[in-house]
Amino acid sequence: MLSIHWPELTSAQRIALITPPKYGKVPIVIDSDTYNEIDDQMAIAWAFLHPERLDLQAVYAAPFTNHYFGKEGSHTYVDDPAVGMQLSVDEIYRVFNKLPRRENIPQIFQGSTRYLKDSNQPEMSAAVQDLINRARTAEQTLHVLAIAAPTNIANALLLAPDIVTKIHVIWLGGNSYAWKDNHEFNLMQDIAASRVLFDSGVALTQIPCFGVANTMASSVPEMQHYFAETSRIGSYFAEIAPRCPWIGFASRKVIWDITTVGYVLNPDWFTCEYRTSPLINDNLSWSFDNRRHVIQVAKFIERDALFKDLFRSIIDADEG
């Protein structure tokens, strides 16, 4: 059994880690179940297209399964997390092949092949090893944009608890504390890993899905109207939008994952508060203990500010 001794951060240390620098580049990595939808691809592209602000160093492929929705509920039916991870690796390469060429392309790493499930059995992978190495050698806070089940990040924390002092995790996961339930995709896929995020004391900004990030809505017609026949990456998004899951007739599509990129680009687009880190009950509901450490939680996002910057960056991608 692993005996974990988490480093203890003071409130001042935690807040310093959570706060991106106002000036200069912000070092980031992205952990993504890229093939599952279209929002992961957009988040990666948007981050890459802001080199003046974001130093995107690496992209990690996270495991995912979407069999919960049945074979008709997704553009691809995945019931094996290792398959989901590998599909995401391929999609990450596909995205970068359609982005402008640069000298320094972020490194791409395969992640975990199974969910954590048991915190006594973390899995080492190329992504986990890179996150550990990158965090330990970072000269300033490494901001980890987590837009999937947090399996890779939890594995890294369990295998190298010392990185708690070097990283800030921005996780799109769980629903708002006032929402009717907490049945959220990223959290539900790997409950053990989600608990590690909240229990480890790592500097954490949580962006809840329903109740907060669900305002990030677009639609197939909107994306095709703005992206078709623009840049290579924009045209790709216009092409794949209709086959992504949960886009139906007269419905809107939430582009959830861009919120993590938006936060490091401009925290002023977000209204946040500090709350004691919640506990995830066995029925997935939240519980609170005021003796626990604090995390930052997003409450409101300036949706239009994010979308204006996102759309302009993608449309003009080939001009940079």
Side-chain angles (χ1 to χ4, degrees):
M1 179 177 292
L2 284 177
S3 179
I4 303 295
H5 300 285
W6 300 112
E8 292 188 13
L9 301 174
T10 66
S11 295
Q13 288 172 322
R14 184 170 283 108
I15 291 170
L17 288 166
I18 284 173
T19 307
K22 286 190 175 181
Y23 307 103
K25 288 191 177 186
V26 182
I28 67 170
V29 295
I30 295 178
D31 186 69
S32 165
D33 55 354
T34 320
Y35 194 69
N36 187 45
E37 293 198 57
I38 193 175
D39 50 344
D40 298 78
Q41 295 95 317
M42 293 179 119
I44 292 168
W46 194 24
F48 181 77
L49 292 169
H50 269 290
E52 80 293 344
R53 174 61 174 165
L54 303 181
D55 176 18
L56 177 56
Q57 299 179 358
V59 181
Y60 307 138
F64 79 87
T65 50
N66 55 21
H67 59 283
Y68 315 105
F69 307 103
K71 292 188 177 181
E72 301 304 318
S74 174
H75 66 301
T76 180
Y77 178 80
V78 177
D79 60 4
D80 181 343
V83 172
M85 184 276 293
Q86 188 56 55
L87 286 169
S88 291
V89 170
D90 297 340
E91 183 69 1
I92 294 165
Y93 278 108
R94 201 172 291 120
V95 168
F96 279 112
N97 282 336
K98 296 182 183 300
L99 285 166
R101 299 288 184 265
R102 285 202 199 128
E103 267 187 44
N104 298 319
I105 298 295
Q107 293 181 278
I108 299 166
F109 294 93
Q110 291 182 318
S112 304
T113 59
R114 55 179 169 82
Y115 296 130
L116 178 61
K117 302 301 182 185
D118 182 351
S119 59
N120 291 312
Q121 297 179 327
E123 177 188 2
M124 180 60 81
S125 65
V128 169
Q129 186 66 70
D130 182 79
L131 177 54
I132 292 170
N133 294 343
R134 205 173 290 275
R136 284 175 170 168
T137 58
E139 296 181 358
Q140 63 185 100
T141 304
L142 179 65
H143 298 265
V144 182
L145 279 55
I147 50 178
T151 311
N152 292 332
I153 296 133
N155 282 325
L157 287 166
L158 290 167
L159 290 164
D162 57 284
I163 69 172
V164 162
T165 64
K166 303 296 292 288
I167 68 173
H168 168 216
V169 179
I170 306 166
W171 184 47
L172 177 90
N175 292 331
S176 72
Y177 303 156
W179 196 254
K180 61 183 179 179
D181 61 51
N182 200 26
H183 296 172
E184 187 278 319
F185 186 70
N186 289 343
L187 183 149
M188 286 192 305
Q189 286 188 96
D190 198 337
I191 299 167
S194 301
R195 284 178 171 143
V196 169
L197 286 192
F198 292 111
D199 295 345
S200 63
V202 70
L204 174 64
T205 294
Q206 181 193 8
I207 303 177
C209 292
F210 282 103
V212 179
N214 60 307
T215 58
M216 300 291 109
S218 183
S219 66
V220 173
E222 182 178 35
M223 286 187 279
Q224 291 184 321
H225 173 76
Y226 284 109
F227 292 152
E229 300 181 8
T230 58
S231 63
R232 292 176 69 230
I233 190 67
S235 297
Y236 179 62
F237 291 151
E239 173 192 336
I240 68 173
R243 64 174 192 258
C244 286
W246 310 302
I247 300 177
F249 176 74
S251 67
R252 306 179 78 192
K253 171 62 188 163
V254 179
I255 312 298
W256 312 90
D257 295 337
I258 63 168
T259 54
T260 60
V261 178
Y263 177 78
V264 285
L265 270 178
N266 189 347
D268 290 342
W269 291 337
F270 290 69
T271 300
C272 299
E273 65 177 353
Y274 285 101
R275 295 283 300 266
T276 53
S277 184
L279 295 153
I280 303 173
N281 299 321
D282 289 343
N283 66 357
L284 301 187
S285 63
W286 299 116
S287 287
F288 297 90
D289 180 343
N290 288 334
R291 295 169 295 182
R292 283 164 64 85
H293 65 279
V294 298
I295 65 170
Q296 182 175 234
V297 183
K299 294 180 64 180
F300 176 77
I301 308 170
E302 296 283 354
R303 182 267 181 198
D304 289 352
L306 272 71
F307 269 77
K308 285 177 182 177
D309 195 297
L310 169 74
F311 275 46
R312 286 171 179 157
S313 297
I314 291 171
I315 290 167
D316 297 336
D318 294 346
E319 297 177 11

